[in-house]
Amino acid sequence: MKEIKEVLIVGAGTMGHGLAQVFAVNGVSVKLVDENDDLLNRAQRWITDNLNYMVELGEIKKDKVQPTLSRVQYTVDLKQAARTADYVLEAVNENLDLKKRIFQQLGQWTRPHVALATNTSSFDINEFSAVTAHPERIIGTHWFHPPQITPCVEIIPSSATSQETIEVAIDLMRRIGKAPTRCRSAPGFVANRIQMAMAAEALAIVEEGLTTPEEVDQIVRTSFGFRLSAYGPFQICDQAGADTYNTIYEYLYGKLKREQFKPSPLLKKQVEQGYLGLKTNHGFYEYKKGAAEAMKRERDKKLYARLRLFREEQKTEKKI
């Protein structure tokens, strides 16, 4: 597997400049491409401001700023930049025709072994494989805003993507400190389907006059959202109990008659099999005997740490 020394990022906007920053901070040389110098100059200002703020926050030392900035080259010449790239990441606007045109060009201008990744948040990765030479090197890597901070990167192969390309993408993400997680190519992938489902229900609650946007945000931040940085939805379900979840779904569906609250066949099966979570040592995860008490202590440790941060943030918000 060839070492990746130079990454080409296509698109210097909201996502692109942050992508360039995180690679450069982690010692990888970057070529950042966009259609004009104004966009590139703006990206350079954003990256410089971000790095200086990282110094202010104590995330990096001041003497790391200039070497990081020197690793990013800015250019409008996609063809020339593509010729020397070891890995390409497309991050232009969510315009399918534009993205497909870029991939057609990259397929012609890059060396045939170079992995070509897209940061699309919605399009089927097979759309790009269909128009690109050597489609086995096409892969989706869905980052989350702001990409220089948020750990997750969804790794989404197309039906043509080779195992080597998958491994290249995963290894590179780990090298720069990200948390790559593989999923299948489907509308919205995983994170956006869950995120959009939550947003849809929040919007419905406000439309129904149950509360205000501000109150919804406060409730989410201080309840289940408070826990979500420590545990995912299946871990939380195991802690609460699948039987408890199923009872709540049955009640909500009976009262609201909305399909999103119809009890899940998967959840029903868990209950029928007695896989209720921590209290039965088996749920969506399996647990060793005595794990419940150990996990309770670990849970409290994680959540108290987040509670301290939350209280500090509240103090800061009151001053603004």
Side-chain angles (χ1 to χ4, degrees):
M1 194 178 298
K2 181 177 172 59
E3 182 184 359
I4 294 172
K5 297 180 179 179
E6 182 181 297
V7 170
L8 166 59
I9 296 171
V10 185
T14 301
M15 293 296 289
H17 85 277
L19 298 170
Q21 177 183 323
V22 72
F23 281 110
V25 164
N26 286 280
V28 182
S29 295
V30 176
K31 284 186 179 174
L32 185 58
V33 173
D34 216 314
E35 58 185 354
N36 61 59
D37 287 335
D38 288 342
L39 294 173
L40 294 172
N41 290 335
R42 183 186 67 178
Q44 187 172 23
R45 289 195 302 272
W46 284 347
I47 293 172
T48 302
D49 289 345
N50 290 346
L51 293 174
N52 287 331
Y53 192 50
M54 288 179 73
V55 173
E56 186 178 331
L57 295 174
E59 295 296 324
I60 59 172
K61 294 187 179 298
K62 190 173 182 178
D63 61 7
K64 193 172 182 179
V65 172
Q66 198 53 47
T68 300
L69 290 171
S70 69
R71 291 189 193 103
V72 184
Q73 296 180 47
Y74 303 84
T75 180
V76 296
D77 191 340
L78 176 60
K79 185 175 184 179
Q80 184 60 38
R83 287 174 174 165
T84 59
D86 298 317
Y87 182 93
V88 180
L89 175 52
E90 169 274 313
V92 301
N93 296 332
E94 285 291 272
N95 178 319
L96 182 58
D97 290 338
L98 173 60
K99 287 177 180 285
K100 288 170 75 171
R101 185 165 69 250
I102 289 171
F103 271 89
Q104 284 178 322
Q105 294 171 333
L106 291 171
Q108 297 167 9
W109 297 338
T110 55
R111 290 165 292 172
H113 69 275
V114 172
L116 306 179
T118 174
N119 182 50
T120 182
S121 59
S122 56
F123 297 134
D124 184 351
I125 309 305
N126 291 290
E127 295 272 8
F128 309 114
S129 296
V131 299
T132 310
H134 301 285
E136 69 279 359
R137 61 202 177 122
I138 304 300
I139 193 161
T141 57
H142 179 212
W143 300 58
F144 297 84
H145 187 261
Q148 66 271 26
I149 301 174
T150 310
C152 182
V153 179
E154 290 179 318
I155 304 294
I156 312 121
S158 76
S159 58
T161 305
S162 69
Q163 184 60 35
E164 181 180 0
T165 300
I166 295 169
E167 291 172 3
V168 165
I170 290 175
D171 287 349
L172 182 59
M173 295 306 101
R174 287 176 176 159
R175 176 180 161 190
I176 61 172
K178 294 300 176 181
T181 305
R182 183 172 172 175
C183 60
R184 293 176 61 184
S185 184
F189 311 131
V190 173
N192 272 349
R193 279 186 62 176
I194 296 170
Q195 181 175 236
M196 292 299 107
M198 182 188 72
E201 193 59 30
L203 289 163
I205 285 168
V206 172
E207 287 168 356
E208 292 168 18
L210 298 181
T211 189
T212 66
E214 293 79 11
E215 289 164 336
V216 168
D217 285 343
Q218 177 73 353
I219 289 167
V220 171
R221 289 177 61 214
T222 57
S223 62
F224 68 87
F226 177 79
R227 300 177 306 200
L228 281 175
S229 64
Y231 297 102
F234 288 99
Q235 292 171 312
I236 293 173
C237 181
D238 272 3
Q239 291 174 23
D243 52 339
T244 301
Y245 265 46
N246 194 58
T247 298
I248 294 170
Y249 275 119
E250 288 176 342
Y251 179 80
L252 291 174
Y253 184 64
K255 292 293 184 181
L256 299 176
K257 306 298 183 185
R258 293 183 184 170
E259 284 300 306
Q260 66 263 43
F261 296 121
K262 189 174 183 178
S264 159
L266 176 58
L267 188 63
K268 283 185 175 181
K269 184 178 179 181
Q270 293 289 102
V271 174
E272 290 166 1
Q273 292 178 325
Y275 296 161
L276 306 183
L278 270 173
K279 56 190 172 186
T280 60
N281 291 323
H282 196 308
F284 292 105
Y285 294 81
E286 288 190 41
Y287 304 95
K288 295 178 181 178
K289 189 175 180 180
E293 185 59 31
M295 285 194 67
K296 178 178 179 295
R297 295 179 71 84
E298 182 63 20
R299 178 205 66 193
D300 289 356
K301 181 180 178 181
K302 289 181 177 181
L303 295 185
Y304 275 125
R306 284 155 178 79
L307 183 59
R308 288 192 294 272
L309 176 61
F310 176 75
R311 286 170 174 166
E312 287 300 315
E313 288 174 345
Q314 280 189 309
K315 292 177 185 177
T316 303
E317 288 170 5
K318 288 177 181 178
K319 295 177 182 177
I320 297 175

